[in-house]
Amino acid sequence: MKKLLLSALTVALTASVWSCGGEKKSESAASESTGQTSVADFKGKTLNILCWEGYADKKFTQAFEEKYGVTIKGTYFGSSDELIAKLTAGGGEVYDIVTPSPDMAQALVERDLVQPIDLKKITHYDSLAGKLRSMQDVVKDGQTYGVPFTWGPDYLVYNADVIKTEPTSWNELFKPEYKGKVALWDDISSLYLAGMLLGYDKPDKGGIYNMTEPQLAEVKKKLMQLKPQVRKYWVTAGELDNLMKNKEVTLAVGWPLTPATLKKEGMNVKGLIPKEGATGWIDRLMITKNTANKDLAEAWIDYITQAENMAKVGEVTNYSVANPNAKRFMSAELQEITQMNNTDYYFERLNFWQYVKNRKRYNEIWNEIKSGA
């Protein structure tokens, strides 16, 4: 998900992990025994994936390409709004697979831009985390349109060398001593955070994704109060890393990627979920409505959801992956970075993004906040 600075942090899996021959062999054997596709069927074809940066990396696509004699071509988008723009501007017949976040996935279903997936062809679907499979935003008329891929939190990132006492609340962002030392993601998800601070996620977690006009006015007021604190609305994870490294910011809304990256560079940057909770995202694999390569797309989804291959995705992206069995192919360090060693805690505390029906209005409010209008 999102824009990454992938080269900054690639944690190598240890030799001991990859030598878990019995487990690795078991996964491969399962795949081969249930294979429903032929190499000859796909040879010479290209699978076009419209995705968040890093989701079509050679480190986990190459083996599939060699097996089937195909090419996987990734086209990256930087925001959910960019995804929908590319898909509706003639991209519906160009791309075979898309990887939307949950605040856009349902919109793709509602707009008839994607098609149901034959889960019988996704060998490891039942092995994916039940929490992620149970979300109904990509289910329509009993058919499933999306397969869980990666997930993670939007949580509080801070410089622990500056802030000696671990923060417990998002209100830390508002403290006078951090004026001009805060960074927020340049995304409407900042409205979700403000809504959560105002209690609009209670009793219904979905409340922050369907705020009324008066609630949006209060959200805007809250974020305008925070504006003097904000040094930068960051766009890429690499940009946030640099802000932290240069000591321009002390606190931020970020992803586990940033503490993990900066830890490797010797910084004492930490991340946590404050007492109010945090929002989270889950990116899915969806097949476009007009693809000419549906069978190949299903074969890719079947391949990449295998535990061993999902571990490679985690290695490249540093995000949590949907198949919990991927832990068997991860080093202890990579499990820590991706939170794969503590998924129950995160599932319990996260309010996963939901479909934002009034997304246009959310974007208007967010632009007004950034411009100070």
Side-chain angles (χ1 to χ4, degrees):
M1 173 174 191
K2 302 129 192 167
K3 296 181 180 180
L4 304 175
L5 186 63
L6 296 173
S7 60
L9 179 64
T10 300
V11 180
L13 300 183
T14 63
S16 61
V17 171
W18 287 107
S19 66
C20 296
E23 293 172 336
K24 181 178 177 182
K25 184 177 180 180
S26 175
E27 287 287 339
S28 300
S31 173
E32 293 299 332
S33 65
T34 55
Q36 301 177 42
T37 54
S38 165
V39 172
D41 292 339
F42 303 139
K43 192 171 184 179
K45 292 186 176 181
T46 296
L47 185 71
N48 285 291
I49 304 178
L50 180 60
C51 55
W52 294 103
E53 188 171 356
Y55 284 0
D57 193 276
K58 280 291 180 187
K59 291 179 181 175
F60 53 79
T61 63
Q62 188 169 359
F64 181 85
E65 291 176 309
E66 292 175 351
K67 177 178 180 179
Y68 289 110
V70 301
T71 299
I72 291 183
K73 181 181 179 182
T75 300
Y76 296 142
F77 59 82
S79 69
S80 295
D81 293 294
E82 185 180 351
L83 160 64
I84 196 75
K86 285 186 173 179
L87 199 56
T88 54
E93 297 180 354
V94 174
Y95 303 109
D96 304 300
I97 288 180
V98 293
T99 64
S101 299
D103 60 345
M104 184 55 71
Q106 185 175 339
L108 299 186
V109 177
E110 297 298 329
R111 295 189 187 193
D112 199 27
L113 294 170
V114 290
Q115 61 178 294
I117 296 174
D118 185 352
L119 297 180
K120 294 179 181 177
K121 295 183 179 179
I122 312 303
T123 309
H124 301 277
Y125 183 76
D126 290 340
S127 298
L128 306 183
K131 170 72 175 180
L132 304 179
R133 284 186 289 116
S134 67
M135 295 178 182
Q136 297 297 300
D137 56 314
V138 292
V139 176
K140 183 178 181 181
D141 299 331
Q143 295 181 301
T144 299
Y145 288 72
V147 172
F149 185 43
T150 63
W151 62 277
D154 309 293
Y155 68 178
L156 180 63
V157 176
Y158 69 100
N159 187 328
D161 283 335
V162 177
I163 302 176
K164 303 294 185 182
T165 302
E166 184 176 275
T168 60
S169 170
W170 284 108
N171 288 320
E172 193 85 4
L173 299 174
F174 292 84
K175 287 187 174 179
E177 59 264 41
Y178 303 126
K179 184 176 181 179
K181 292 290 186 178
V182 170
L184 299 183
W185 185 24
D186 186 0
D187 185 83
I188 64 168
S189 60
S190 293
L191 272 63
Y192 311 156
L193 171 61
M196 189 169 61
L197 293 178
L198 291 166
Y200 298 156
D201 59 335
K202 300 178 181 57
D204 175 17
K205 284 188 173 182
I208 58 176
Y209 306 106
N210 189 31
M211 290 185 278
T212 64
E213 195 63 31
Q215 288 175 327
L216 287 172
E218 290 300 314
V219 160
K220 179 180 177 180
K221 184 178 178 181
K222 190 74 172 178
L223 290 173
M224 289 300 288
Q225 290 173 354
L226 186 59
K227 193 174 176 66
Q229 303 289 103
V230 177
R231 174 82 173 185
K232 180 76 175 179
Y233 297 109
W234 58 269
V235 177
T236 69
E239 184 178 11
L240 177 57
D241 290 349
N242 288 331
L243 290 168
M244 298 294 291
K245 282 192 290 188
N246 296 334
K247 310 291 177 64
E248 292 185 65
V249 301
T250 303
L251 290 154
V253 177
W255 310 312
L257 177 64
T258 291
T261 300
L262 298 182
K263 182 181 178 182
K264 292 291 181 182
E265 299 185 19
M267 289 192 69
N268 188 19
V269 173
K270 298 181 178 179
L272 56 81
I273 299 178
K275 64 182 180 183
E276 296 92 349
T279 59
W281 45 268
I282 162 183
D283 295 339
R284 293 187 179 82
L285 300 162
M286 305 181 86
I287 300 175
T288 57
K289 175 78 173 184
N290 296 319
T291 177
N293 296 310
K294 183 180 180 182
D295 288 341
L296 179 57
E298 289 176 336
W300 169 247
I301 295 173
D302 180 50
Y303 172 86
I304 202 60
T305 50
Q306 293 177 40
E308 180 180 354
N309 297 326
M310 279 215 153
K312 294 177 182 176
V313 173
E315 179 188 359
V316 170
T317 64
N318 297 289
Y319 293 149
S320 306
V321 293
N323 192 331
N325 296 323
K327 288 190 298 183
R328 300 184 317 204
F329 303 95
M330 291 179 164
S331 67
E333 183 179 16
L334 186 57
Q335 289 185 43
E336 176 72 23
I337 290 170
T338 58
Q339 308 112 38
M340 291 296 290
N341 62 347
N342 200 17
T343 54
D344 288 344
Y345 171 80
Y346 281 88
F347 284 158
E348 181 181 341
R349 301 294 308 282
L350 293 181
N351 181 345
F352 282 96
W353 294 0
Q354 297 181 22
Y355 176 44
V356 179
K357 188 175 181 179
N358 200 4
R359 190 178 186 91
K360 180 181 178 182
R361 183 59 181 149
Y362 274 54
N363 270 309
E364 289 173 350
I365 295 289
W366 179 236
N367 287 328
E368 290 172 5
I369 292 165
K370 288 190 295 180
S371 65

